[in-house]
């Protein structure tokens, strides 16, 4: 992930992703059609997207099993895999969380870049992290992947895949290895901007697809139902007359690295009852000028906790930069700091939304709703920047 240096989410090369359904049986011919969020008529049991009208997949899409092959739509392409997938390789904490949410722990034979996210993932998934085969503490190399002999690599553009490093789905295909791309990293039209669906759809799509590939449809359905139930509770909570503006500050120096309408933070901030200051940016993770934070004058500034630029370094630059030093949120220390995996597209986005909601309440910018986060971030040692917890 990017701070003041090159970030895996920043450049993004992409493809498009549509909604999929879950297959319930493997090894026989069947077609399963399920209408999920964004399909057909509105379902009162499905929480609405509160924020901007980010495009969502339209119509009914399907995951199809024919013999020992299952076909899903990944980044706008129909991709066929030999199923069930029993050897899955995953890079990055947020992607590992999606695999665990899909019920595919036993199929996860190798991971990379876990250490930074292990504390929050362990708080969420406990013993499911025990025994994970970490083959590289940072990003994967082609050698790491080939040695692990996976059937499928689950990564994303700038979440492990990189044309500059010659590690792409095409290069892996040349070695007989299939790939599944993180939905958040898909780019329509092949340009640098990313985003093909709203962020909640992206999370549900990836959980559903990985479950279809590995034979865990029922477990994934339960996870998605729980996420929707929690989103619905957040959506029904009392809202401020004017939604408070939240500025997501990933890192900053000459410019600010933040996230627009299609990144995980959009989903988190929307569901918490806030307004993403960059909801007009039709992209995921991207750079913006310092003028954007000055004109936004946010009620709360949220940080992404990860190596590259510490929490204190971010606070110091905000307190010294001419564009931000006099902002209310900076003067009053209205900060929230959550781990990387809670902000990037992951199964922990719902946990981030609950924590952010409580923070907004503590800062007095939304009414009290009595929501208790399912994941208690106060138990994460070494996570600074959340003084609101003691208010």
């Amino acid at each position: 992930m990017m701070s003041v240096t090159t970030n895996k989410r920043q450049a993004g090369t992409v493809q498009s992703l549509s909604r999929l359904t879950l297959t319930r049986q493997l090894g026989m011919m069947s077609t399963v059609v399920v209408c999920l969020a964004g399909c057909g008529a509105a379902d009162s049991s499905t929480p609405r997207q509160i924020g901007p009208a980010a495009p969502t997949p339209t119509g009914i899409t399907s995951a199809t099993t024919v013999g020992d092959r299952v076909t899903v739509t990944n980044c706008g392409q129909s991709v066929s895999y030999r199923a069930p997938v029993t050897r899955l390789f995953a890079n990055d904490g947020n992607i590992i969380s999606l695999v665990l949410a899909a019920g595919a722990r036993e199929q996860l034979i190798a991971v990379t870049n876990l250490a930074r996210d292990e504390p929050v993932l362990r708080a969420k998934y406990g013993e499911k992290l025990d025994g994970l085969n970490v083959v590289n503490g940072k990003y994967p190399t082609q050698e790491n992947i080939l040695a692990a002999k996976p059937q499928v690599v689950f990564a994303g553009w700038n979440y492990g895949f990189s044309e500059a490093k010659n590690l792409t789905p095409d290069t892996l295909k040349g070695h007989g290895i299939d790939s599944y791309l993180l939905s958040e990293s898909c780019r329509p039209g092949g340009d640098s901007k990313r985003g093909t669906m709203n962020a909640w759809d992206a999370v549900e799509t990836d959980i559903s697809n990985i479950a279809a590939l590995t034979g865990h449809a029922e477990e994934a359905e339960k996870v998605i139902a729980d996420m929707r139930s929690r989103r619905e509770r957040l959506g029904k909570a009392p809202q401020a007359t004017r939604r408070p503006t939240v500025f997501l500050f990933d890192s900053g120096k000459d410019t600010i690295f933040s996230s627009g309408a299609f990144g995980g933070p959009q989903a988190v901030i929307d569901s918490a009852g806030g307004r993403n200051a960059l909801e007009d940016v039709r992209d995921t993770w991207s750079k913006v000028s310092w003028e954007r934070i000055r004109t936004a004058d946010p009620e709360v500034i949220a940080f992404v906790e990860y190596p590259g630029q510490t929490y204190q370094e971010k606070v110091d630059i905000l307190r010294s930069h001419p564009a931000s030093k006099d902002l209310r949120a900076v003067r009053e220390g209205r900060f929230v700091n959550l781990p990387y995996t809670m902000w990037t597209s992951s199964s922990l986005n719902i946990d981030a939304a609950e924590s952010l909601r409580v923070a907004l309440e503590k800062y007095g910018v939304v009414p009290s709703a009595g929501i208790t986060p399912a994941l208690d971030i106060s138990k994460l040692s070494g996570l600074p920047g959340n003084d609101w917890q003691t208010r």
Side-chain angles (χ1 to χ4, degrees), residues 306-320:
Y306 71 104
Q309 192 173 57
T310 67
Y311 165 77
Q312 192 57 52
E313 287 171 340
K314 295 172 188 179
V315 171
D316 289 345
I317 194 170
L318 285 170
R319 286 177 172 163
S320 61

Side-chain angles (χ1 to χ4, degrees), residues 191-206:
D191 60 18
S192 62
K193 290 187 176 181
R194 290 162 288 173
T196 60
M197 62 184 70
N198 76 52
W200 285 123
D201 284 346
V203 171
E204 291 186 12
T205 293
D206 288 341

Side-chain angles (χ1 to χ4, degrees), residues 25 51 69 75 89 117 119 137 139 206 231 234 260 289 328 341:
Q25 295 180 338
R69 308 290 298 186
C75 288
F89 187 114
D117 305 301
Y139 298 143
D206 288 341
R231 286 173 54 202
L234 286 165
S289 70
R328 293 171 299 170
T341 293

Side-chain angles (χ1 to χ4, degrees), residues 277-348:
L278 299 185
E279 65 182 10
D280 62 310
V281 176
R282 315 306 283 182
D283 200 348
T284 58
W285 300 89
S286 57
K287 291 180 179 180
V288 296
S289 70
W290 279 89
E291 182 65 13
R292 288 302 304 259
I293 195 170
R294 187 191 69 78
T295 57
D297 192 13
E299 277 82 3
V300 173
I301 296 172
F303 297 112
V304 182
E305 174 70 15
Y306 71 104
Q309 192 173 57
T310 67
Y311 165 77
Q312 192 57 52
E313 287 171 340
K314 295 172 188 179
V315 171
D316 289 345
I317 194 170
L318 285 170
R319 286 177 172 163
S320 61
H321 198 284
S324 56
K325 65 181 182 179
D326 294 323
L327 297 177
R328 293 171 299 170
V330 175
R331 293 198 315 267
E332 298 176 16
R334 293 184 190 173
F335 303 139
V336 178
N337 188 37
L338 299 179
Y340 168 94
T341 293
M342 295 181 77
W343 288 115
T344 49
S345 185
S346 77
S347 61
L348 278 72

Side-chain angles (χ1 to χ4, degrees), residues 90-124:
N91 172 66
D92 232 352
N94 61 315
I95 291 175
I96 293 168
S97 82
L98 293 168
V99 174
L100 297 178
R105 170 61 183 88
E106 293 304 311
Q107 289 74 37
L108 190 57
I109 54 93
V111 301
T112 48
N113 209 23
L114 171 66
R116 172 198 59 217
D117 305 301
E118 185 170 359
V120 69
L121 287 175
R122 188 165 291 281
K124 175 87 171 179

